[in-house]
Amino acid sequence: MNDLTQAYQQAAAAAQHSLLRHPTLSMAAMLRVCAERAERYESPDVYGQGAIIEQFEQRLAKLLGKPAALFLPSGTLAQPMALRIHAEASGRNRVLLHPTSHLVLHEQDGYQKLWGLSGEVVGAAEQVLQLADLQAVAQPKSCAALVLELPMREIGGQLPSWEALQQQVAWAREHGIAVHIDGARLWQCENYYGRSFADICALADSVYVSLYKDLGGIAGAVLVGATEFVAQARVWSRRAGGNLISMYPYILAAEQGLEDNLVLLPQVAVYTRELAPLLNELPGVQVNPEEPQATMFHLHINAEREALIRAVTNYAEEHGVLVLPLPRAVQQGRCVCEIPLGRNALQQPPTFWQQHLRACLERLDQ
């Protein structure tokens, strides 16, 4: 970690107001919350068994409209595991992935190196998957699974229309291809589609959801699907080292996150659509997508990376207001900052963030 990044993180931790996600508890405070919740249970989970984990899995299965669910340490385990099960069921090992898929960009080709799968990248990196992209696949009958990320993080949380999504699923069904939803941020989709999580998940054979990104848990993931699918996933979890002796701290934190944060996401979605156009008015700032579809978006800012980090850090130190995360990329000379919204942003009117971001960015010209 360089000095500039370290200074930013210290300023971010000390800031009184943050645009990003939910209020963060200290480690000690989080453990106290978990300890209080733990009083409801007589004993911890043991290798995936026990009331605490079984009840949580049943709760998530019902919420997502699937017969069964499996708690796992991470999505990096959950997703290739799901694809491997679909591959074995079909006798094929090829999977279709968008070029911005987490499996392509952030997992060091684990789905190939560890899970024996091969991948075909389909679609354009700068836009959501299109039916025409799938129709251009040369040998669909050799494909085991199609991965659909909802929403798509790398392009600002964009989503296909409900009709387009149905068409893509129908294409997969026509060719005997299983559909897997990368739902790391699936919790953001309900408001846009105007449908329940169960209705959205009904499109897929398997779905992964994260328990910390929008819910504020410590870590963890859930994989849902048919009863036999989840039974196979339990075996694969054991093989891959995901069946830890106890995972109750993660479960307890996820339970708290569901109660604190999930209920607010429809309100956050409305707030997001109010905030984005205000930030888009600022000089040198472009929102992607211009009309947010999830509770996140990206800001493309005309600034050098180091200069932007320094300005944001100094502003946070002086005013106690954190207006941006560290840039996640630089594209065509513009910094790309991801803005995931939650309870933190809701504490202030959208104009508050517009005014503070404007004041922060004006320092770039000084």
Side-chain angles (χ1 to χ4, degrees):
M1 182 187 305
N2 61 39
D3 292 342
L4 189 59
T5 301
Q6 185 175 12
Y8 169 88
Q9 293 182 343
Q10 291 173 346
Q16 295 175 297
H17 305 287
S18 172
L19 177 61
L20 312 172
R21 283 213 171 106
H22 307 297
T24 301
L25 297 177
S26 68
M27 289 188 293
M30 175 61 82
L31 291 176
R32 283 192 290 270
V33 168
C34 291
E36 183 175 344
R37 297 192 70 92
E39 297 291 344
R40 307 176 188 184
Y41 302 97
E42 294 183 359
S43 57
D45 57 301
V46 179
Y47 290 121
Q49 297 184 331
I52 184 171
I53 193 167
E54 292 171 8
Q55 290 174 12
F56 184 79
E57 289 172 342
Q58 291 165 10
R59 178 182 182 182
L60 268 292
K62 182 178 180 180
L63 179 62
L64 299 176
K66 294 296 184 185
L70 175 63
F71 185 95
L72 292 162
S74 73
T76 303
L77 173 61
Q79 299 213 91
M81 176 192 300
L83 300 180
R84 176 60 186 263
I85 294 169
H86 293 315
E88 289 202 333
S90 65
R92 314 166 182 174
N93 79 329
R94 191 156 145 257
V95 295
L96 299 174
L97 302 156
H98 190 267
T100 66
S101 169
H102 195 277
L103 289 95
V104 174
L105 296 181
H106 303 299
E107 299 180 19
Q108 285 74 51
D109 295 327
Y111 75 96
Q112 300 180 52
K113 305 293 186 182
L114 294 178
W115 295 91
L117 303 169
S118 64
E120 179 176 347
V121 173
V122 292
E126 67 278 3
Q127 65 182 24
V128 297
L129 190 66
Q130 309 287 322
L131 178 61
D133 299 326
L134 299 177
Q135 293 171 333
V137 172
Q139 296 179 310
K141 296 297 183 182
S142 68
C143 299
L146 166 65
V147 179
L148 299 174
E149 183 184 4
L150 304 176
M152 302 183 71
R153 179 194 187 185
E154 300 292 336
I155 53 175
Q158 293 185 48
L159 286 157
S161 70
W162 183 252
E163 293 71 25
L165 197 54
Q166 290 179 307
Q167 291 172 355
Q168 293 167 25
V169 170
W171 176 89
R173 300 283 182 242
E174 178 185 347
H175 296 287
I177 298 171
V179 176
H180 171 77
I181 290 179
D182 174 351
R185 295 163 179 79
L186 182 74
W187 311 117
Q188 302 185 23
C189 297
E190 193 177 40
N191 184 268
Y192 175 73
Y193 286 128
R195 289 170 168 81
S196 69
F197 296 121
D199 288 339
I200 298 169
C201 293
L203 296 172
D205 299 282
S206 58
V207 181
Y208 140 71
V209 292
S210 171
L211 299 175
Y212 71 90
K213 293 179 176 67
D214 291 306
L215 299 185
I218 296 173
V222 168
L223 183 64
V224 300
T227 302
E228 177 57 27
F229 170 86
V230 171
Q232 293 180 54
R234 291 187 187 279
V235 174
W236 276 106
S237 176
R238 183 65 176 170
R239 289 169 177 162
N243 182 222
L244 307 185
I245 184 171
S246 292
M247 293 190 278
Y248 60 87
Y250 305 119
I251 297 168
L252 294 166
E255 286 181 339
Q256 190 68 44
L258 282 167
E259 293 178 11
D260 289 344
N261 299 319
L262 186 58
V263 69
L264 288 177
L265 286 181
Q267 181 181 349
V268 177
V270 173
Y271 186 97
T272 304
R273 292 193 294 271
E274 295 173 352
L275 175 63
L278 294 178
L279 301 187
N280 205 39
E281 293 174 359
L282 299 179
V285 176
Q286 180 181 357
V287 174
N288 182 40
E290 188 171 336
E291 297 182 6
Q293 298 156 345
T295 61
M296 65 171 290
F297 51 81
H298 285 178
L299 294 181
H300 293 239
I301 301 173
N302 290 335
E304 294 183 357
R305 186 177 188 277
E306 289 192 0
L308 181 61
I309 296 173
R310 191 172 292 108
V312 173
T313 300
N314 292 341
Y315 196 85
E317 290 173 343
E318 294 174 22
H319 298 277
V321 179
L322 183 70
V323 291
L324 291 174
L326 291 170
R328 60 178 289 102
V330 177
Q331 297 177 1
Q332 300 177 338
R334 310 180 84 190
C335 288
V336 180
C337 293
E338 183 173 296
I339 310 297
L341 299 175
R343 283 190 291 138
N344 276 334
L346 290 180
Q347 293 175 10
Q348 303 292 338
T351 52
F352 174 91
W353 301 111
Q354 183 197 42
Q355 291 165 3
H356 280 284
L357 181 57
R358 183 194 303 274
C360 176
L361 296 181
E362 285 175 351
R363 294 172 173 236
L364 295 171
D365 299 324
Q366 296 176 0

